[in-house]
Amino acid sequence: MKNILVTGGAGFIGSAFVRYMIDTYPEYNIIVLDKLTYAGNLDNLLPVHDSPRYHFERGDIASRETVQRVVETYSVDTIVNFAAESHVDRSILQPDAFIHTDVVGTYILLDMMRLLGLERMLHVSTDEVYGDVAEGYSVETDSFQPNSPYAASKASAELMIRAYRQTYDLDVVVTRGSNTFGPYQYPEKLLPLFITEAIDDRPLPLYGDGMQVRDWLFVEDHVTGIDTVLHHGAAGEAYNIAGECEKHNIEVVRELLRALGKPEKLIRHVKDRPGHDRRYAMNCDKLHALGWQRQHSFEDAIRLTVQWYVDNEWWWRKIKTGEYLEYYKAQYAERLAESD
Ligand code: NAD
Ligand code: TDX
């Protein structure tokens, strides 16, 4: 492994992975292929911009010609696939792009891997493929029960990966991460949305009763989990990456308000997300057996994350314009009006 293609490397977790890989492995070249959708942001890659081992190409993973050109130009031997439409609420409003990128895009990467003879691909997947977990913890062999168009698109990608592994003997590994948070996360997901809205003393639209449970994973721990599987995971296997930190949404919101010194009266209970999964929870023993442990407590990581948004208004204020405001209106205007 020498020349690693990181697709979706201008997004939240992908850019954290690129920054980490450039710092950690002086022997690797990192090539980012990213379409720069609303969620892709070159500001996320400014810290590595001047490294001679970092290269950026704008393009679509669902374009066979683009993937072939980039693989051949940089003699790519390994792919780490972060590229995806990643927000559940957007998949409910408009699923098309999810099928294009998450399903067709992953298929194109697999097919180019087969035709061009690449060594390994790590595909970044999610706990959402397991669906709602009322009790216990999902293990990697559990069946898929996706409940949103986003989750179904990620599960579909995984089925195609399995088929390519079985049929063509490709070396593909999969990670399934839990709810990830940290610096540079686009302010549509729960934590960055609520932190940036609370900074401006705006209402925080909590879906339903706020008693849904998510397992929170700091982005730097997610990245080291991916690194562990990339280097030590067995071909054809999937690995859960759990934060091992289950919390009700309401608790998370209270924690971030405490860290910001803002009042709980900003919270508004609004109409629930349709098909809203009540709980995700994964067993992480298989990844622990490869030697991975998370390094950050939830309390420290949330304080650090809140502080990052306080200190980096330059990063998020320019995002909260144009298309973002249209999305915000479509998702929240009616909900917030009904809650008053
Ligand atoms: P993100 O939305 O912040 O970033 C996605 C990136 O992919 C963006 O840079 C975007 O421009 C790029 N992209 C989208 N379509 C593309 C295409 N057709 N071709 C090339 N690039 C394209 O997402 P994220 O939160 O960083 O998530 C990264 C991956 O991790 C996704 O696959 C997601 O499903 C998975 N994941 C996310 C979480 C989470 O909590 N955020 C948890 C588990 C798994
Ligand atoms: O405005 C909101 N109000 C609210 O109550 C938003 C945006 C979210 N929520 C709730 C819904 C969820 O129960 O907070 C919880 C977290 O929501 P998201 O941040 O949208 O994450 P989730 O739907 O759990 O999915 C995340 O984790 C798995 C990522 O977005 C996915 O990319 C990842 O695969």
Side-chain angles (χ1 to χ4, degrees):
M1 182 158 65
K2 186 166 183 335
N3 299 318
I4 305 174
L5 178 63
V6 180
T7 60
F12 163 50
I13 309 172
S15 66
F17 180 75
V18 172
R19 297 190 302 269
Y20 165 87
M21 291 298 277
I22 291 283
D23 280 354
T24 311
Y25 296 105
E27 65 276 30
Y28 294 157
N29 294 307
I30 303 292
I31 304 97
V32 171
L33 172 62
D34 197 294
K35 190 174 174 180
L36 297 180
T37 66
Y38 77 93
N41 186 346
L42 289 176
D43 286 346
N44 303 356
L45 292 165
L46 284 176
V48 295
H49 185 263
D50 293 331
S51 168
R53 292 180 292 107
Y54 157 75
H55 309 272
F56 181 83
E57 293 277 343
R58 184 172 193 177
D60 188 339
I61 60 162
S63 160
R64 199 175 274 279
E65 297 70 31
T66 302
V67 174
Q68 178 161 5
R69 179 180 57 76
V70 172
V71 165
E72 289 176 351
T73 304
Y74 296 96
S75 305
V76 167
D77 44 55
T78 305
I79 299 177
V80 181
N81 180 30
F82 292 89
E85 290 293 330
S86 68
H87 191 41
V88 172
D89 291 324
R90 288 188 190 251
S91 84
I92 295 167
L93 290 172
Q94 184 55 270
D96 296 28
F98 290 75
I99 307 304
H100 175 81
T101 295
D102 303 11
V103 185
V104 179
T106 305
Y107 151 70
I108 294 290
L109 293 179
L110 287 166
D111 212 43
M112 296 317 286
M113 189 184 170
R114 170 175 78 94
L115 295 169
L116 301 173
L118 302 192
E119 285 171 23
R120 167 161 272 210
M121 175 157 107
L122 183 146
H123 176 78
V124 179
S125 189
T126 170
D127 57 2
E128 304 212 8
V129 297
Y130 298 118
D132 195 43
V133 184
E135 283 175 5
Y137 297 88
S138 306
V139 292
E140 287 82 351
T141 48
D142 283 356
S143 66
F144 293 167
Q145 307 282 342
N147 290 320
S148 70
Y150 163 69
S153 73
K154 297 295 288 187
S156 305
E158 284 211 45
L159 292 179
M160 193 57 84
I161 288 167
R162 180 191 153 80
Y164 264 66
R165 165 80 190 152
Q166 296 299 116
T167 308
Y168 304 110
D169 201 27
L170 297 189
D171 179 346
V172 188
V173 283
V174 171
T175 56
R176 299 185 188 133
S178 65
N179 274 66
T180 305
F181 69 101
Y184 299 99
Q185 186 170 28
Y186 192 86
E188 64 188 351
K189 308 278 167 42
L190 178 73
L191 271 167
L193 173 69
F194 279 27
I195 294 168
T196 55
E197 293 290 275
I199 287 173
D200 286 344
D201 300 306
R202 285 165 51 84
L204 309 180
L206 191 62
Y207 297 151
D209 60 5
M211 292 302 285
Q212 302 82 5
V213 174
R214 295 292 183 269
D215 174 16
W216 294 94
L217 173 66
F218 189 51
V219 65
E220 290 177 18
D221 289 325
H222 194 158
V223 160
T224 57
I226 290 170
D227 177 20
T228 302
V229 174
L230 180 64
H231 286 95
H232 306 293
E237 294 292 315
Y239 295 84
N240 293 339
I241 308 179
E244 296 179 309
C245 175
E246 282 184 63
K247 294 208 178 281
H248 293 109
N249 290 344
I250 184 83
E251 288 178 73
V252 172
V253 175
R254 287 195 178 123
E255 184 85 28
L256 78 85
L257 287 171
R258 257 197 304 280
L260 272 174
K262 295 285 184 180
E264 289 189 14
K265 69 172 196 288
L266 291 178
I267 300 171
R268 298 278 190 290
H269 287 272
V270 299
K271 192 170 85 190
D272 209 348
R273 173 187 278 175
H276 197 171
D277 287 328
R278 234 19 220 176
R279 174 173 178 259
Y280 301 132
M282 294 188 294
N283 174 297
C284 199
D285 290 351
K286 195 171 167 184
L287 182 58
H288 288 319
L290 295 185
W292 176 85
Q293 289 291 342
R294 74 178 162 91
Q295 298 299 317
H296 298 267
S297 73
F298 177 77
E299 290 70 23
D300 288 348
I302 200 150
R303 269 196 297 274
L304 190 156
T305 302
V306 165
Q307 195 56 46
W308 188 88
Y309 284 91
V310 168
D311 293 341
N312 289 280
E313 293 195 10
W314 70 273
W315 182 86
W316 57 266
R317 287 219 183 267
K318 62 183 174 190
I319 292 175
K320 288 190 155 194
T321 54
E323 190 276 346
Y324 178 89
L325 294 179
E326 279 169 40
Y327 164 73
Y328 183 90
K329 194 169 156 210
Q331 183 61 24
Y332 296 111
E334 205 177 301
R335 280 188 164 87
L336 283 169
E338 282 170 357
S339 80
D340 285 340

